[in-house]
Amino acid sequence: MPGTPPTRFVYLGPEGTFAEQALNSIPAAERGSRTPARSVPEALESVRAGEADAAVVPMENSIGGAVGVTLDELAEGEPLVITREVILPVEFVLAARPGTTLPHVRSVAAHPQASTQCRGWLRAHLPDAVVVDVLSNGAAAAGAATGDYDAAICAPIGASRHRLDVLGAKIADHPDAVTRFALVSRPGPPPPPTGDDVTSLAVYIAHDRVGALLSVLMELAVRGVNMTRIESRPTGEALGRYVFFLDCTGHVADVRLGEALQGLRRVCADVRFLGSYPRHRFAGASDRPIPAPPGLSDADYADAAAWLARIRAGDLA
């Protein structure tokens, strides 16, 4: 959707989940339509089909790791690109209908990942309660609101949406846990560089060549491109066949990253560009982008290119 801000958004539903909370943090979503999808493939397919302009889907969790279905969907099918990332603290709450107190809680609805991340709190405060697996945090909150369960482990947005009382706040065993979400759109010109950007790639290596993965890493390292994440996923072709997902600092418009992409194109079986977009900035964060190493800034590349052009023209002065 080049040049046109998205107005039709879809997100991994149902309502009252962290994905909806992530979407609500995007300014453009305040003025657009927001529709929950039943699954990540359904959300992304609605973008591919033109039924939505952009989708918010989870990419990775600091406790549970990468969300495999999202990576698989981005690596296969019609190309899609990430235009923004949102990183949310995973702040689970225990919520129940008004008037309920902890001694009354005998059943707790929770998504399996949520109950796993709150195991210590449950053991300490509700050792005799039965935890019932449900499909999502939103479904847990809805079940508590209808009385199917005494309480729910859910996102704060789920508790407020279903008018539940919070019996326990920030109950996760890892208080610093976060989930990274991606805003995904159909291909178009990436957002302009900000000086603090991330570029995501899906890289297919030549499996019959010794040192194939090392050659990928070297294309980045020799140009001073910092790789912040690498994740492998099976391609489904055969045992031992993998696609590697890379996150790198920098923007496709940067000369050094552009040259690295050209190098990857030469040495890899295939490279899928998944987007260049601003790095998520936490409120009050004081960290600054890591500057290019000496000799690897865009100005250094421009100077070297001009020097080579003079040599080729016979100007050695």
Side-chain angles (χ1 to χ4, degrees), residues 66-150:
V67 180
V69 64
T70 300
L71 298 183
D72 293 342
E73 283 292 317
L74 291 177
E76 303 295 334
E78 291 297 317
L80 294 170
V81 292
I82 302 168
T83 59
R84 185 184 182 117
E85 68 173 5
V86 176
I87 298 178
L88 283 184
V90 180
E91 296 183 353
F92 289 112
V93 301
L94 184 79
R97 293 184 308 283
T100 304
T101 61
L102 275 180
H104 296 126
V105 175
R106 292 290 179 265
S107 61
V108 178
H111 185 276
Q113 288 187 358
S115 58
T116 296
Q117 293 187 45
C118 301
R119 186 181 295 137
W121 192 94
L122 289 170
R123 187 185 305 117
H125 296 86
L126 293 172
D128 298 322
V130 175
V131 178
V132 182
D133 290 347
V134 294
L135 293 177
S136 69
N137 300 315
T146 57
D148 293 337
Y149 313 100
D150 296 331

Side-chain angles (χ1 to χ4, degrees), residues 18-33:
F18 286 110
E20 184 184 14
Q21 190 173 329
L23 178 58
N24 289 343
S25 72
I26 299 173
E30 297 177 0
R31 301 179 296 276
S33 63

Side-chain angles (χ1 to χ4, degrees), residues 211-229:
L213 180 58
L214 178 60
S215 65
V216 168
L217 303 180
M218 288 300 297
E219 292 293 339
L220 303 174
V222 298
R223 294 174 177 87
V225 175
N226 183 36
M227 185 179 65
T228 58
R229 183 178 71 95

